[in-house]
Structures are given as structure tokens and as C-alpha cells.
Amino acid sequence: MLDLERIYDVYLDKLQKKREEDNKEYKEWFGGSSAGSCYKKQLYKITGIKATPFDTRTKRLLRLGTIVHKDILEEAIDYWKEEYREIDPDEYDVYTEHEIKIPEFHVIGHLDNCIVEKHEDGTHYITIADLKTLAAYSWTKKFGREAKKKGINAHYTMGHYELQTATYALGMLKQYNMIGNLNSRKSVRDIRKISNMVKLNIVWYNKNDSRLKITEIPSLEALEAAILYWQDLNDFIDETPDDEIYAIPPDGAVGIPMQSWECNYCQYKLICKGS
């Protein structure tokens, strides 16, 4: 009898090695999906410090998210474009699993879905949709009765998912030459002028019952927060010797960690001083 569990785990390891090989040119760059993460964790990653591998359960959960992403925001959209032909390529550019780069921040990433509406006067309107899968408990925390009573989704805080989605938008603004150097003093002022041309959505998928919900993120607040995060992270790492950062214990500096729960799930917690 085939040992399907072992076969699948070996397959997932192979996929991970392929991703590492494909991205080796940018191994010293930050990942767009890491926006909002602990500064120390970011340094560990770009300097090649070996992380504790994910356990098999976590690898499978991450793969499940990838499969859902591919089915909803890639194959379904490709089918829709071919079958219904509602998108005029002269008026719209449609992207799925698209690579973005922000060289001044040393950031590279892949957005899930983006539609760019092109106008004859040269202006563009960008809509980003990023898919996130949630288990039943997390879904209830975000969309259940208590969440509604507390107005959790009425007043957005710029957490990890929001900064990630905004980072992808910054990459698209760079691609379409709608913004200059994001690591300049005037970048926040410049983003205020064009934030109304950007729409940010998170598509939430319930892994237990396949429900979908879409929430819109305030563009200006998210774009500003993403710029300030990447600016501060780069300044901190550029201006502080690596060995001094490695010696900082959790809660020993702003940004280490960014959120209190990060240390519990961090792949570097075994080597992080004070963990």
C-alpha cells in the first residue's frame, strides 16, 4: 500500500526547494508577504540565518491556501476572461499571481489579483484583491456576533494582511510609473495625491464551509502605513549593526516584535535571544 502521507510530505518539500531556487537571486530582499513582520525576523531572513522548518501540519495548511488561491484567483478568473470576454485589453490590464518589485525597499512579492483600469488621459485606477483563508475560529473572531458588536471590521487597524495588500499596490504604482522613489521624504505626501486611484480588497475564505466575504481597506491609511513600515525597517537595519540587532530581546525595541503573538509562531524563536 502506498504511504500517501509520506509521499505528500516529500512532494511539499520538493515544492519548497523549487521556490527557494527560483528566488535565490532575491534571497537578500524582503518578501512582500512579510509586510508588518518583526524587524529582527526580517533580518534573520535576509542574512540567511537558518530557520526551524515548518512541521508537516503547517506545510499542508500553507499548501491548502495556495491551492485555494490558484483555483479562485487564477484559474477561475482566466476562465471568466476567456468565456465571457468582458474585459477589453485596451481598457483593462488583469493580473493574477503577478510579481511586484520595490527596489528602493528591497521588496519582491506576488500579488493574487489586480485589475488596472486605463484611461486615455494616462491616468490609471488600480484594484488589488488579496485572498486569505481562515479556519472556523478565526472566522468567528473576525465576522461573528461579538466582532460585529465591537465593530471590528468597521474601524480598520493596519495589521499584517492590510500592510501586505498595500505593499502589492505600491508595487503596481511603481510598475505604472505613478509614484517615484518611495524611500524619499516626500513619498507619503505624493501617495496622498493618488490614493483615490487605488482600491484595496481582502477576500476572506472560510476553510470549513467555503463562505466568502470581501472587505475593503482604507487606501490612504494603508498605503501610508506600508511606506512608513518599509522605510523604518530599512533604516533600522541599515543603521544598526547586525550583531546589535541579534542581541535585542523580544520587546527590547520598537518593531521587535511588531505584534505580541508573533514570537509564538516564529521560525527563529529557538535562536532569538530572550525567547
Side-chain angles (χ1 to χ4, degrees):
M1 181 177 176
L2 290 175
D3 186 349
L4 291 178
E5 185 173 1
R6 184 185 66 83
I7 291 171
Y8 191 51
D9 290 342
V10 170
Y11 170 68
L12 294 180
D13 288 338
K14 178 184 177 182
L15 291 179
Q16 177 59 30
K17 289 178 181 177
K18 184 179 185 303
R19 281 193 293 271
E20 292 173 357
E21 182 65 24
D22 291 343
N23 294 321
K24 66 180 182 180
E25 181 182 352
Y26 298 98
K27 64 182 181 180
E28 295 181 356
W29 283 39
F30 305 109
S33 61
S34 71
S37 294
C38 168
Y39 290 178
K40 193 174 179 182
K41 179 181 179 180
Q42 296 278 34
L43 178 64
Y44 281 139
K45 188 265 180 185
I46 65 169
T47 53
I49 301 296
K50 191 170 181 60
T52 301
F54 288 124
D55 59 29
T56 54
R57 175 181 173 277
T58 302
K59 287 188 287 188
R60 293 171 194 166
L61 286 172
L62 292 172
R63 180 59 182 169
L64 178 62
T66 300
I67 292 169
V68 173
H69 279 66
K70 183 175 180 63
D71 195 47
I72 294 179
L73 290 181
E74 186 172 343
E75 294 185 2
I77 288 176
D78 287 344
Y79 165 78
W80 169 66
K81 287 192 297 183
E82 291 298 319
E83 186 70 15
Y84 295 96
R85 301 187 182 279
E86 296 176 357
I87 293 291
D88 184 342
D90 292 329
E91 296 181 10
Y92 297 92
D93 291 333
V94 180
Y95 300 92
T96 55
E97 283 299 311
H98 179 65
E99 181 180 272
I100 63 98
K101 293 179 184 176
I102 309 176
E104 57 265 46
F105 289 151
H106 305 99
V107 168
I108 185 170
H110 292 82
L111 58 81
D112 289 336
N113 176 256
C114 175
I115 297 179
V116 180
E117 181 183 340
K118 300 177 290 185
H119 288 232
E120 292 182 356
D121 62 3
T123 58
H124 305 302
Y125 291 84
I126 296 172
T127 300
I128 302 284
D130 201 51
L131 181 71
K132 298 299 176 190
T133 56
L134 294 178
Y137 177 75
S138 298
W139 182 276
T140 301
K141 290 282 287 183
K142 183 163 186 64
F143 297 113
R145 291 180 181 177
E146 288 302 313
K148 291 177 181 178
K149 288 180 183 178
K150 295 175 182 178
I152 287 176
N153 297 300
H155 305 285
Y156 248 109
T157 55
M158 295 304 139
H160 174 65
Y161 293 152
E162 289 76 19
L163 292 177
Q164 179 182 343
T165 307
T167 296
Y168 297 144
L170 293 176
M172 294 306 295
L173 290 171
K174 294 286 293 183
Q175 178 177 324
Y176 280 84
N177 298 313
M178 295 172 67
I179 193 76
N181 182 2
L182 288 168
N183 205 20
S184 69
R185 292 182 178 180
K186 64 186 187 73
S187 58
V188 171
R189 182 184 65 197
D190 291 344
I191 207 71
R192 290 171 182 162
K193 300 175 182 177
I194 57 173
S195 63
N196 65 320
M197 299 178 181
V198 177
K199 187 174 183 179
L200 304 175
N201 292 324
I202 296 182
V203 182
W204 305 94
Y205 181 90
N206 188 316
K207 291 186 287 187
N208 292 72
D209 59 18
S210 296
R211 278 182 291 172
L212 284 169
K213 282 187 180 290
I214 300 175
T215 56
E216 184 174 350
I217 307 167
S219 295
L220 176 57
E221 292 89 337
L223 292 169
E224 285 184 346
I227 290 173
L228 294 174
Y229 170 79
W230 291 114
Q231 284 182 346
D232 194 56
L233 171 65
N234 278 272
D235 288 346
F236 180 72
I237 289 178
D238 289 344
E239 296 170 4
T240 312
D242 290 359
D243 57 348
E244 289 187 19
I245 298 177
Y246 294 144
I248 300 174
D251 296 319
V254 174
I256 302 177
M258 289 291 291
Q259 301 183 72
S260 58
W261 54 261
E262 280 186 277
C263 295
N264 296 330
Y265 302 95
C266 183
Q267 288 180 277
Y268 299 101
K269 66 181 180 181
L270 295 180
I271 62 172
C272 181
K273 181 178 175 64
S275 298

